[in-house]
Amino acid sequence: MISTLSIEQEKLCQLALHLTPGIGGRNIRHLMSYLGSAKRVFESRNARLHKVPGIGVELARRIHSKASFDLAEKELLRTEREGIQILFYTDSSYPKRLKQIPDAPAVLFSKGDIDFEKRKIVSIVGTRNATEYGKNVTDDIVSYLKLHDVLIISGLAYGIDIQAHKSALRHGLSTVGVMASGMGTIYPSIHHQVAQQMLEQGGLVTENTFFSKPDAPKFPARNRIIAGLSDAVIVVEAAKKGGALITAEIANDYYRDVFAVPGCIGKTNSEGCNNLIKSHKAHLLNKPEDIDYIMQWNAPSNQEKEQSIFDLSKYSIKEQKIIHLLQDYGPEMMIDDLSQQAELPISQLANVLLSLEFDGLVKAIPGKKFRLN
């Protein structure tokens, strides 16, 4: 039986890895997959670390520095004091949708009452210089989404983002703000009161430590979390360039549905949305009901499909394990994640998946991902 002490040590090691400069979530997952645990990463000699793809001499040196452990201990104490939950990539409570993206954060900090496994999650993003038209459209969309009890996600920024949060609060929907800073720095500070309300009706999420400031590189990183947590991303108003378009691009890479509200020709705030539609990177959103049509929310629900009963008796133990993982961690999983969770080498897993594909139970989709058929 694993002791509580060993679990706490492993969490401290995972957090210390997260706080190692320049390492990134993908390298952390490679290290833990190759060596078995975060604790073993720190116990391994440089020569063994160098065998892990992406880990060079400098990164190995940083891993063996004690500085990240000192920071991790302080962060653990601070999060406990502030009522912040730490979600590690290896935890069962880590958001399943986010776990499917290739660059998922190894550690996530959350505060509030957040249902990451809500059946329907939509992100709404847009320009910081929102017009009254854009704010009204955002409110109309959120009002309609109340019919589906959707969780609304945005970035707590000026303009469309904060309007999405305010509309969700007003219409009684849960809403989550994904931050480019740490929990100790609400940015922009003028939205502090709204953020406090969100803690009672959703919450806040970040991959950054408590006192992190919102410097420029953190915003695109924040946008990938917005896209990764969602089933769909809606862009209401956007200029030719900006964070909302970055989020839309990332969402497309993650095979999330993207919607764009069209705007007037020649208007700066319409250019980004119109270009997304023109280049077939977003569905045209003329009215909120268009979301139902594209997402097939009026068709038999995903929940009903998930509850359908398989006759597992004819499948091998390995095949049953894969079926259960796809049911629990769906709607889709990358083959690397399946390999890690099933504790099967890729070569063996590929044969199991092929057998299930032939049986019509599993479907391969672009990006080395698989889902139940």
Side-chain angles (χ1 to χ4, degrees), residues 82-85 109-116 175-176 183 195-205:
E82 298 289 339
I84 297 167
Q85 185 180 11
F109 301 94
S110 74
K111 189 172 184 179
D113 183 18
I114 305 173
D115 181 4
F116 288 110
T175 183
V176 172
M183 290 288 183
Q196 290 301 308
Q197 290 178 278
M198 291 165 63
L199 294 177
E200 303 297 322
Q201 198 173 309
L204 302 173
V205 168

Side-chain angles (χ1 to χ4, degrees), residues 64-219:
H64 284 141
S65 169
K66 292 183 178 180
S68 59
F69 268 99
D70 293 337
L71 290 172
E73 288 176 343
K74 291 176 182 177
E75 196 67 24
L76 280 174
L77 290 172
R78 188 177 293 117
T79 53
E80 184 177 346
R81 186 170 62 246
E82 298 289 339
I84 297 167
Q85 185 180 11
I86 306 179
L87 303 172
F88 295 96
Y89 185 84
T90 53
D91 291 346
S92 60
S93 55
Y94 189 94
K96 292 182 175 62
R97 289 173 177 84
L98 192 62
K99 203 164 194 174
Q100 307 314 311
I101 70 173
D103 50 354
V107 174
L108 205 61
F109 301 94
S110 74
K111 189 172 184 179
D113 183 18
I114 305 173
D115 181 4
F116 288 110
E117 309 313 323
K118 194 87 168 177
R119 210 167 125 247
K120 298 173 182 178
I121 302 181
V122 170
S123 291
I124 300 177
V125 295
T127 179
R128 292 170 179 247
N129 302 309
T131 64
E132 285 304 310
Y133 164 77
K135 293 176 183 178
N136 290 335
V137 168
T138 300
D139 192 70
D140 288 344
I141 291 170
V142 173
S143 176
Y144 181 81
L145 291 175
K146 186 176 181 180
L147 296 172
H148 293 285
D149 191 27
V150 170
L151 171 62
I152 302 294
I153 292 180
S154 199
L156 207 67
Y158 291 110
I160 296 300
D161 286 28
I162 196 63
Q163 181 61 51
H165 294 309
K166 288 179 177 178
S167 292
L169 292 171
R170 189 162 71 84
H171 293 291
L173 288 174
S174 294
T175 183
V176 172
V178 184
M179 303 167 64
S181 61
M183 290 288 183
T185 308
I186 301 298
Y187 179 83
S189 58
I190 195 172
H191 296 159
H192 188 273
Q193 186 176 352
V194 176
Q196 290 301 308
Q197 290 178 278
M198 291 165 63
L199 294 177
E200 303 297 322
Q201 198 173 309
L204 302 173
V205 168
T206 183
E207 66 179 319
N208 303 302
T209 53
F210 192 79
F211 288 117
S212 295
K213 302 299 180 185
D215 52 30
K218 291 189 176 77
F219 287 95

Side-chain angles (χ1 to χ4, degrees), residues 275-291:
N275 284 341
L276 284 172
I277 296 165
K278 181 176 69 175
S279 58
H280 305 289
K281 292 182 178 179
H283 304 291
L284 174 66
L285 182 56
N286 266 329
K287 55 186 184 300
E289 289 82 0
D290 293 337
I291 302 168

Side-chain angles (χ1 to χ4, degrees), residues 258-324:
V258 178
F259 296 83
V261 176
C264 296
I265 296 172
K267 296 289 186 181
T268 301
N269 281 357
S270 302
E271 200 168 357
C273 288
N274 291 346
N275 284 341
L276 284 172
I277 296 165
K278 181 176 69 175
S279 58
H280 305 289
K281 292 182 178 179
H283 304 291
L284 174 66
L285 182 56
N286 266 329
K287 55 186 184 300
E289 289 82 0
D290 293 337
I291 302 168
D292 291 349
Y293 175 74
I294 297 297
M295 302 300 293
Q296 298 185 336
W297 280 351
N298 289 332
S301 69
N302 290 333
Q303 189 176 26
E304 291 169 342
K305 290 178 184 176
E306 288 170 4
Q307 290 175 347
S308 60
I309 300 173
F310 296 108
D311 178 13
L312 296 180
S313 60
K314 63 179 181 179
Y315 297 105
S316 69
I317 298 299
K318 290 179 182 177
E319 288 171 333
Q320 289 184 34
K321 195 169 190 178
I322 298 305
I323 293 168
H324 285 308

